[in-house]
Amino acid sequence: MSMLYFNFIRPDEEPSARAGAYQAALDMAEYADAHGFAQVVLSEHHGTEAGWLRPPSRWLGWVLARTKRLA
């Protein structure tokens, strides 16, 4: 089983500068879906200044909108 794992930890960037990383991740998820990957895993961590993705539920909605088979 193949899967993608995203944690989006980018402590060196401002949140507004992360749009390119999020767009690339959505492109990767769409590619993985089309090429037989089984899952996308989104890691989160609340209450940290390290730049982790918060909250992943919104990002998950974007992944689901662009894929058909991923869990």
Side-chain angles (χ1 to χ4, degrees):
M1 170 175 57
S2 298
M3 72 173 129
L4 290 176
Y5 177 86
F6 295 110
N7 69 13
F8 292 110
I9 188 167
R10 305 225 17 185
D12 57 331
E13 282 188 339
E14 292 296 318
S16 62
R18 297 181 190 150
Y22 293 158
Q23 182 61 50
L26 288 171
D27 293 342
M28 286 187 268
E30 189 172 17
Y31 177 90
D33 184 57
H35 290 85
F37 279 60
Q39 295 181 357
V40 169
V41 177
L42 305 175
S43 180
E44 66 173 314
H45 187 75
H46 297 284
T48 180
E49 298 298 322
W52 285 78
L53 175 68
R54 309 181 290 261
S57 55
R58 182 179 306 152
W59 201 87
L60 178 59
W62 298 333
V63 170
L64 293 175
R66 294 202 31 195
T67 62
K68 296 177 182 162
R69 292 175 291 280
L70 288 176

